[in-house]
Amino acid sequence: MREKGQELGELVGERAEDWRPHRYGWSTNDSASESQMPTLDRIITICVTKGRSVHTAHRLTKPRASIGSVGGRADMQIDDPEASPLHCAVAITENGVRLYDLDSENGTYVDDSRIQVADLEDLFAFRIGSTEFVVSIVPVPELPRIVGGDK
């Protein structure tokens, strides 16, 4: 006989494949090369600033990442009873980060407004339940090129 947690894990696993947003033109191809990632010139971090998971941070190292409750299959897991296993997702854009609600029951909020999609820039905040997040975008300076190094 299956336990409830096992069934939930299987359901989350099935839904993880479509965590998506296809409806927003987001490709599901995870094999995007690093040359296609617009983050090579910056470091993007999602930090929890309020809630049970305060001081938790996730550095975006791939084009998109999911956020959800502890025990789910999200890339960034938070301890918040109002968070769904796959609650929302972030995708790297040319200008910052795009936040997508994944049809969560309790919603994702920016400036106390429930959103489906929102574009976030450096130091923009968003909320899931009682957990608040801040997006940090730090430019990476170019390294100087050495001229005439090969002889």
Side-chain angles (χ1 to χ4, degrees), residues 12-13 16 19 58 62 64-78 83-89 102 128:
V12 169
W19 74 254
H58 183 80
K62 54 186 182 176
R64 64 178 188 229
S66 58
I67 301 172
S69 61
V70 171
R73 290 188 174 178
D75 296 307
M76 181 178 188
Q77 298 183 15
I78 58 168
S84 301
L86 286 172
H87 195 99
C88 64
L102 297 178
I128 296 172

Side-chain angles (χ1 to χ4, degrees), residues 1-12:
M1 181 165 204
R2 291 184 190 199
E3 293 183 18
K4 186 177 180 180
Q6 182 181 6
E7 289 175 3
L8 177 61
E10 289 172 4
L11 176 63
V12 169

Side-chain angles (χ1 to χ4, degrees), residues 8-150:
L8 177 61
E10 289 172 4
L11 176 63
V12 169
E14 290 171 9
R15 296 207 50 211
E17 290 306 313
D18 69 347
W19 74 254
R20 64 249 213 208
H22 304 298
R23 65 188 142 190
Y24 304 112
W26 167 341
S27 170
T28 59
N29 183 3
D30 280 333
S31 63
S33 70
E34 287 192 18
S35 64
Q36 294 173 326
M37 281 188 56
T39 62
L40 296 178
D41 60 343
R42 57 204 158 141
I43 297 170
I44 300 175
T45 308
I46 308 292
C47 302
V48 177
T49 58
K50 184 177 178 184
R52 293 180 183 177
S53 297
V54 70
H55 303 300
T56 300
H58 183 80
R59 181 174 172 189
L60 299 183
T61 58
K62 54 186 182 176
R64 64 178 188 229
S66 58
I67 301 172
S69 61
V70 171
R73 290 188 174 178
D75 296 307
M76 181 178 188
Q77 298 183 15
I78 58 168
D79 182 12
D80 192 314
E82 294 183 50
S84 301
L86 286 172
H87 195 99
C88 64
V90 291
I92 299 168
T93 66
E94 289 295 326
N95 299 319
V97 173
R98 183 161 293 147
L99 173 66
Y100 300 90
D101 184 81
L102 297 178
D103 300 324
S104 64
E105 186 175 324
N106 295 316
T108 303
Y109 294 82
V110 174
D111 293 329
D112 290 324
S113 296
R114 189 169 181 162
I115 60 97
Q116 287 299 310
V117 178
D119 288 321
L120 307 176
E121 297 175 10
D122 185 39
L123 302 181
F124 272 42
F126 66 97
R127 180 177 58 81
I128 296 172
S130 61
T131 304
E132 292 181 4
F133 303 81
V134 169
V135 175
S136 169
I137 303 172
V138 178
V140 175
E142 274 191 46
L143 296 174
R145 295 185 181 173
I146 299 173
V147 179
D150 292 31

